[in-house]
CSV table of all heavy atoms in Angstrom, one decimal:
chain,number,residue,atom,x,y,z
A,1408,ALA,N,-137.3,55.5,-137.3
A,1408,ALA,CA,-136.6,55.0,-136.1
A,1408,ALA,C,-137.5,54.9,-134.9
A,1408,ALA,O,-138.2,55.9,-134.6
A,1408,ALA,CB,-135.4,55.8,-135.8
A,1409,LEU,N,-137.5,53.7,-134.3
A,1409,LEU,CA,-138.3,53.5,-133.1
A,1409,LEU,C,-137.5,53.6,-131.9
A,1409,LEU,O,-136.9,52.7,-131.4
A,1409,LEU,CB,-139.0,52.1,-133.2
A,1409,LEU,CG,-140.1,51.8,-132.2
A,1409,LEU,CD1,-141.2,52.9,-132.3
A,1409,LEU,CD2,-140.7,50.5,-132.5
A,1410,THR,N,-137.3,54.9,-131.4
A,1410,THR,CA,-136.4,55.2,-130.3
A,1410,THR,C,-137.2,55.0,-129.0
A,1410,THR,O,-138.4,54.8,-128.9
A,1410,THR,CB,-136.0,56.6,-130.3
A,1410,THR,OG1,-137.2,57.5,-130.2
A,1410,THR,CG2,-135.4,57.0,-131.7
A,1411,PRO,N,-136.5,54.9,-127.8
A,1411,PRO,CA,-137.1,54.8,-126.6
A,1411,PRO,C,-138.2,55.9,-126.3
A,1411,PRO,O,-139.2,55.7,-125.7
A,1411,PRO,CB,-136.0,55.0,-125.6
A,1411,PRO,CG,-134.8,54.4,-126.3
A,1411,PRO,CD,-135.0,54.9,-127.7
A,1412,PHE,N,-137.9,57.1,-126.9
A,1412,PHE,CA,-138.9,58.2,-126.8
A,1412,PHE,C,-140.2,57.8,-127.5
A,1412,PHE,O,-141.3,57.9,-126.9
A,1412,PHE,CB,-138.4,59.5,-127.4
A,1412,PHE,CG,-139.4,60.6,-127.5
A,1412,PHE,CD1,-139.7,61.4,-126.5
A,1412,PHE,CD2,-140.0,60.8,-128.8
A,1412,PHE,CE1,-140.6,62.4,-126.6
A,1412,PHE,CE2,-140.9,61.8,-128.9
A,1412,PHE,CZ,-141.3,62.6,-127.8
A,1413,HIS,N,-140.2,57.3,-128.7
A,1413,HIS,CA,-141.3,56.9,-129.4
A,1413,HIS,C,-142.0,55.7,-128.8
A,1413,HIS,O,-143.2,55.6,-128.7
A,1413,HIS,CB,-141.0,56.5,-130.9
A,1413,HIS,CG,-140.5,57.7,-131.7
A,1413,HIS,ND1,-139.2,57.9,-131.9
A,1413,HIS,CD2,-141.2,58.7,-132.3
A,1413,HIS,CE1,-139.0,59.0,-132.6
A,1413,HIS,NE2,-140.2,59.5,-132.9
A,1414,ARG,N,-141.2,54.7,-128.2
A,1414,ARG,CA,-141.8,53.6,-127.6
A,1414,ARG,C,-142.5,54.0,-126.4
A,1414,ARG,O,-143.6,53.4,-126.1
A,1414,ARG,CB,-140.6,52.6,-127.2
A,1414,ARG,CG,-139.9,51.9,-128.4
A,1414,ARG,CD,-140.8,50.8,-129.0
A,1414,ARG,NE,-140.9,49.7,-128.1
A,1414,ARG,CZ,-142.0,49.3,-127.6
A,1414,ARG,NH1,-143.1,49.9,-127.8
A,1414,ARG,NH2,-142.0,48.2,-126.8
A,1415,ALA,N,-142.0,55.0,-125.6
A,1415,ALA,CA,-142.7,55.4,-124.4
A,1415,ALA,C,-144.1,56.0,-124.8
A,1415,ALA,O,-145.1,55.8,-124.1
A,1415,ALA,CB,-141.8,56.4,-123.6
A,1416,LEU,N,-144.1,56.8,-125.8
A,1416,LEU,CA,-145.4,57.4,-126.2
A,1416,LEU,C,-146.4,56.4,-126.7
A,1416,LEU,O,-147.6,56.5,-126.4
A,1416,LEU,CB,-145.1,58.4,-127.4
A,1416,LEU,CG,-144.3,59.7,-127.0
A,1416,LEU,CD1,-144.2,60.6,-128.2
A,1416,LEU,CD2,-145.0,60.4,-125.8
A,1417,GLU,N,-145.9,55.3,-127.4
A,1417,GLU,CA,-146.8,54.3,-127.8
A,1417,GLU,C,-147.4,53.5,-126.7
A,1417,GLU,O,-148.5,52.9,-126.8
A,1417,GLU,CB,-146.0,53.3,-128.7
A,1417,GLU,CG,-145.7,53.9,-130.1
A,1417,GLU,CD,-145.0,52.8,-131.0
A,1417,GLU,OE1,-144.7,51.7,-130.5
A,1417,GLU,OE2,-144.9,53.1,-132.2
A,1418,MET,N,-146.7,53.5,-125.5
A,1418,MET,CA,-147.2,52.7,-124.4
A,1418,MET,C,-148.2,53.5,-123.5
A,1418,MET,O,-148.8,52.9,-122.6
A,1418,MET,CB,-146.0,52.2,-123.5
A,1418,MET,CG,-145.1,51.3,-124.3
A,1418,MET,SD,-143.7,50.8,-123.3
A,1418,MET,CE,-144.4,49.8,-122.0
A,1419,LEU,N,-148.5,54.8,-123.9
A,1419,LEU,CA,-149.5,55.5,-123.2
A,1419,LEU,C,-150.9,55.0,-123.4
A,1419,LEU,O,-151.2,54.6,-124.5
A,1419,LEU,CB,-149.4,57.0,-123.5
A,1419,LEU,CG,-148.1,57.8,-123.2
A,1419,LEU,CD1,-148.2,59.2,-123.7
A,1419,LEU,CD2,-147.9,57.8,-121.7
A,1420,ARG,N,-151.7,54.9,-122.4
A,1420,ARG,CA,-153.1,54.5,-122.6
A,1420,ARG,C,-153.8,55.7,-123.2
A,1420,ARG,O,-153.4,56.8,-123.3
A,1420,ARG,CB,-153.7,54.2,-121.2
A,1420,ARG,CG,-153.1,53.0,-120.5
A,1420,ARG,CD,-153.9,52.7,-119.3
A,1420,ARG,NE,-154.1,53.8,-118.4
A,1420,ARG,CZ,-153.3,54.1,-117.3
A,1420,ARG,NH1,-152.3,53.3,-117.1
A,1420,ARG,NH2,-153.6,55.2,-116.6
A,1421,PRO,N,-155.0,55.4,-123.8
A,1421,PRO,CA,-155.8,56.5,-124.5
A,1421,PRO,C,-156.0,57.6,-123.6
A,1421,PRO,O,-156.0,58.8,-124.0
A,1421,PRO,CB,-157.0,55.7,-124.9
A,1421,PRO,CG,-156.6,54.3,-125.1
A,1421,PRO,CD,-155.6,54.1,-124.1
A,1422,ASP,N,-156.3,57.4,-122.3
A,1422,ASP,CA,-156.6,58.5,-121.4
A,1422,ASP,C,-155.3,59.2,-121.0
A,1422,ASP,O,-155.4,60.2,-120.2
A,1422,ASP,CB,-157.4,57.9,-120.1
A,1422,ASP,CG,-156.5,56.9,-119.4
A,1422,ASP,OD1,-155.8,56.2,-120.0
A,1422,ASP,OD2,-156.6,56.9,-118.1
A,1423,GLU,N,-154.2,58.8,-121.4
A,1423,GLU,CA,-152.9,59.4,-121.0
A,1423,GLU,C,-152.3,60.2,-122.2
A,1423,GLU,O,-151.3,60.8,-122.1
A,1423,GLU,CB,-151.9,58.4,-120.6
A,1423,GLU,CG,-152.3,57.6,-119.3
A,1423,GLU,CD,-151.3,56.5,-119.0
A,1423,GLU,OE1,-150.7,56.0,-119.9
A,1423,GLU,OE2,-151.2,56.2,-117.8
A,1424,GLN,N,-153.0,60.2,-123.4
A,1424,GLN,CA,-152.4,60.9,-124.5
A,1424,GLN,C,-152.2,62.4,-124.4
A,1424,GLN,O,-151.3,62.9,-125.0
A,1424,GLN,CB,-153.4,60.6,-125.7
A,1424,GLN,CG,-153.5,59.2,-126.2
A,1424,GLN,CD,-152.1,58.6,-126.6
A,1424,GLN,OE1,-151.4,59.2,-127.3
A,1424,GLN,NE2,-151.8,57.4,-126.2
A,1425,ASP,N,-153.0,63.0,-123.5
A,1425,ASP,CA,-152.8,64.5,-123.4
A,1425,ASP,C,-151.9,64.8,-122.2
A,1425,ASP,O,-151.8,66.0,-121.8
A,1425,ASP,CB,-154.2,65.1,-123.2
A,1425,ASP,CG,-155.0,65.0,-124.4
A,1425,ASP,OD1,-154.5,65.0,-125.5
A,1425,ASP,OD2,-156.3,64.9,-124.3
A,1426,ALA,N,-151.3,63.8,-121.6
A,1426,ALA,CA,-150.5,64.0,-120.4
A,1426,ALA,C,-149.2,64.7,-120.8
A,1426,ALA,O,-148.7,64.6,-121.9
A,1426,ALA,CB,-150.2,62.7,-119.6
A,1427,HIS,N,-148.6,65.4,-119.8
A,1427,HIS,CA,-147.3,66.0,-120.0
A,1427,HIS,C,-146.3,64.9,-120.0
A,1427,HIS,O,-146.4,64.0,-119.2
A,1427,HIS,CB,-147.0,67.1,-118.9
A,1427,HIS,CG,-147.9,68.3,-119.0
A,1427,HIS,ND1,-147.7,69.2,-120.0
A,1427,HIS,CD2,-148.9,68.7,-118.3
A,1427,HIS,CE1,-148.6,70.2,-119.8
A,1427,HIS,NE2,-149.3,69.9,-118.8
A,1428,VAL,N,-145.2,65.1,-120.8
A,1428,VAL,CA,-144.2,64.1,-120.8
A,1428,VAL,C,-142.9,64.7,-120.3
A,1428,VAL,O,-142.5,65.8,-120.7
A,1428,VAL,CB,-143.9,63.6,-122.3
A,1428,VAL,CG1,-142.7,62.6,-122.3
A,1428,VAL,CG2,-145.2,62.9,-122.8
A,1429,LEU,N,-142.2,64.1,-119.4
A,1429,LEU,CA,-141.0,64.6,-118.8
A,1429,LEU,C,-139.8,63.8,-119.4
A,1429,LEU,O,-139.8,62.6,-119.5
A,1429,LEU,CB,-141.0,64.3,-117.3
A,1429,LEU,CG,-142.1,65.0,-116.5
A,1429,LEU,CD1,-141.9,64.7,-115.0
A,1429,LEU,CD2,-142.1,66.5,-116.7
A,1430,LEU,N,-138.9,64.6,-120.0
A,1430,LEU,CA,-137.7,64.0,-120.5
A,1430,LEU,C,-136.5,64.2,-119.6
A,1430,LEU,O,-136.2,65.3,-119.1
A,1430,LEU,CB,-137.4,64.7,-121.9
A,1430,LEU,CG,-138.4,64.5,-123.0
A,1430,LEU,CD1,-137.9,65.3,-124.2
A,1430,LEU,CD2,-138.6,63.1,-123.3
A,1431,TYR,N,-135.8,63.1,-119.3
A,1431,TYR,CA,-134.7,63.2,-118.3
A,1431,TYR,C,-133.4,63.0,-119.2
A,1431,TYR,O,-133.3,62.1,-120.0
A,1431,TYR,CB,-134.8,62.1,-117.3
A,1431,TYR,CG,-135.9,62.3,-116.3
A,1431,TYR,CD1,-137.2,61.8,-116.6
A,1431,TYR,CD2,-135.7,63.0,-115.1
A,1431,TYR,CE1,-138.2,61.9,-115.7
A,1431,TYR,CE2,-136.8,63.2,-114.3
A,1431,TYR,CZ,-138.0,62.7,-114.6
A,1431,TYR,OH,-139.1,62.8,-113.7
A,1432,THR,N,-132.4,63.9,-119.0
A,1432,THR,CA,-131.2,63.8,-119.7
A,1432,THR,C,-130.0,64.4,-118.9
A,1432,THR,O,-130.3,65.4,-118.2
A,1432,THR,CB,-131.3,64.4,-121.1
A,1432,THR,OG1,-130.0,64.2,-121.8
A,1432,THR,CG2,-131.6,65.9,-121.0
A,1433,ASP,N,-128.9,63.9,-119.0
A,1433,ASP,CA,-127.7,64.5,-118.5
A,1433,ASP,C,-126.8,65.0,-119.6
A,1433,ASP,O,-125.6,65.4,-119.3
A,1433,ASP,CB,-126.9,63.6,-117.5
A,1433,ASP,CG,-126.4,62.3,-118.3
A,1433,ASP,OD1,-126.7,62.2,-119.5
A,1433,ASP,OD2,-125.8,61.5,-117.7
A,1434,SER,N,-127.3,65.1,-120.8
A,1434,SER,CA,-126.5,65.6,-121.9
A,1434,SER,C,-126.7,67.1,-122.2
A,1434,SER,O,-127.8,67.5,-122.4
A,1434,SER,CB,-127.0,64.8,-123.2
A,1434,SER,OG,-126.5,65.4,-124.4
A,1435,GLY,N,-125.7,67.8,-122.1
A,1435,GLY,CA,-125.7,69.2,-122.4
A,1435,GLY,C,-126.1,69.5,-123.8
A,1435,GLY,O,-126.8,70.5,-124.1
A,1436,TRP,N,-125.7,68.7,-124.7
A,1436,TRP,CA,-126.1,68.8,-126.1
A,1436,TRP,C,-127.6,68.7,-126.3
A,1436,TRP,O,-128.2,69.4,-127.0
A,1436,TRP,CB,-125.3,67.8,-127.0
A,1436,TRP,CG,-125.6,67.9,-128.4
A,1436,TRP,CD1,-125.0,68.8,-129.4
A,1436,TRP,CD2,-126.6,67.2,-129.2
A,1436,TRP,NE1,-125.6,68.6,-130.6
A,1436,TRP,CE2,-126.6,67.6,-130.5
A,1436,TRP,CE3,-127.5,66.2,-128.8
A,1436,TRP,CZ2,-127.4,67.1,-131.5
A,1436,TRP,CZ3,-128.4,65.7,-129.8
A,1436,TRP,CH2,-128.3,66.1,-131.1
A,1437,SER,N,-128.1,67.6,-125.7
A,1437,SER,CA,-129.6,67.4,-125.8
A,1437,SER,C,-130.4,68.6,-125.3
A,1437,SER,O,-131.3,69.1,-125.9
A,1437,SER,CB,-130.0,66.2,-125.0
A,1437,SER,OG,-129.4,65.0,-125.6
A,1438,LEU,N,-129.9,69.1,-124.1
A,1438,LEU,CA,-130.6,70.3,-123.6
A,1438,LEU,C,-130.5,71.5,-124.5
A,1438,LEU,O,-131.4,72.3,-124.7
A,1438,LEU,CB,-130.1,70.6,-122.2
A,1438,LEU,CG,-130.4,69.6,-121.1
A,1438,LEU,CD1,-129.6,70.0,-119.8
A,1438,LEU,CD2,-131.8,69.6,-120.8
A,1439,GLY,N,-129.3,71.6,-125.1
A,1439,GLY,CA,-129.1,72.8,-126.0
A,1439,GLY,C,-130.0,72.8,-127.2
A,1439,GLY,O,-130.6,73.8,-127.6
A,1440,VAL,N,-130.2,71.6,-127.8
A,1440,VAL,CA,-131.0,71.6,-129.1
A,1440,VAL,C,-132.5,71.6,-128.7
A,1440,VAL,O,-133.3,72.0,-129.5
A,1440,VAL,CB,-130.6,70.3,-129.9
A,1440,VAL,CG1,-129.2,70.4,-130.4
A,1440,VAL,CG2,-130.9,69.0,-129.2
A,1441,LEU,N,-132.8,71.1,-127.5
A,1441,LEU,CA,-134.3,71.0,-127.2
A,1441,LEU,C,-134.8,72.3,-126.6
A,1441,LEU,O,-135.9,72.8,-126.9
A,1441,LEU,CB,-134.5,69.9,-126.2
A,1441,LEU,CG,-134.3,68.4,-126.7
A,1441,LEU,CD1,-134.5,67.4,-125.6
A,1441,LEU,CD2,-135.3,68.2,-127.9
A,1442,VAL,N,-134.0,73.0,-125.7
A,1442,VAL,CA,-134.5,74.2,-125.1
A,1442,VAL,C,-133.6,75.4,-125.2
A,1442,VAL,O,-133.9,76.5,-124.8
A,1442,VAL,CB,-134.8,73.9,-123.6
A,1442,VAL,CG1,-135.9,72.8,-123.4
A,1442,VAL,CG2,-133.5,73.5,-122.8
A,1443,GLY,N,-132.4,75.1,-125.7
A,1443,GLY,CA,-131.4,76.2,-125.7
A,1443,GLY,C,-131.3,76.9,-127.1
A,1443,GLY,O,-130.4,77.8,-127.2
A,1444,GLY,N,-132.0,76.5,-128.1
A,1444,GLY,CA,-132.0,77.1,-129.4
A,1444,GLY,C,-130.8,76.7,-130.2
A,1444,GLY,O,-130.5,77.4,-131.2
A,1445,TRP,N,-130.1,75.6,-129.9
A,1445,TRP,CA,-129.0,75.2,-130.7
A,1445,TRP,C,-129.5,74.6,-132.0
A,1445,TRP,O,-130.6,74.0,-132.1
A,1445,TRP,CB,-128.2,74.1,-129.9
A,1445,TRP,CG,-127.5,74.7,-128.7
A,1445,TRP,CD1,-127.6,75.9,-128.1
A,1445,TRP,CD2,-126.5,73.9,-127.9
A,1445,TRP,NE1,-126.8,76.0,-127.0
A,1445,TRP,CE2,-126.1,74.8,-126.9
A,1445,TRP,CE3,-126.0,72.7,-128.0
A,1445,TRP,CZ2,-125.2,74.4,-125.9
A,1445,TRP,CZ3,-125.0,72.3,-127.1
A,1445,TRP,CH2,-124.7,73.1,-126.0
A,1446,LYS,N,-128.7,74.7,-133.0
A,1446,LYS,CA,-129.0,74.1,-134.3
A,1446,LYS,C,-128.5,72.7,-134.4
A,1446,LYS,O,-127.3,72.5,-134.3
A,1446,LYS,CB,-128.5,75.0,-135.5
A,1446,LYS,CG,-128.9,74.5,-136.8
A,1446,LYS,CD,-128.4,75.4,-137.9
A,1446,LYS,CE,-128.8,74.9,-139.3
A,1446,LYS,NZ,-128.4,75.8,-140.4
A,1447,ALA,N,-129.4,71.7,-134.6
A,1447,ALA,CA,-129.0,70.3,-134.6
A,1447,ALA,C,-128.5,70.0,-136.0
A,1447,ALA,O,-129.0,70.4,-137.0
A,1447,ALA,CB,-130.1,69.4,-134.2
Side-chain angles (χ1 to χ4, degrees):
L1409 192 53
T1410 65
F1412 171 79
H1413 295 100
R1414 293 283 291 116
L1416 293 184
E1417 288 184 351
M1418 296 177 68
L1419 294 175
R1420 297 190 304 269
D1422 61 325
E1423 297 174 331
Q1424 294 299 317
D1425 295 329
H1427 292 287
V1428 177
L1429 301 181
L1430 297 179
Y1431 293 88
T1432 180
D1433 59 357
S1434 167
W1436 180 86
S1437 297
L1438 290 173
V1440 297
L1441 291 175
V1442 299
W1445 293 9
K1446 184 176 180 180

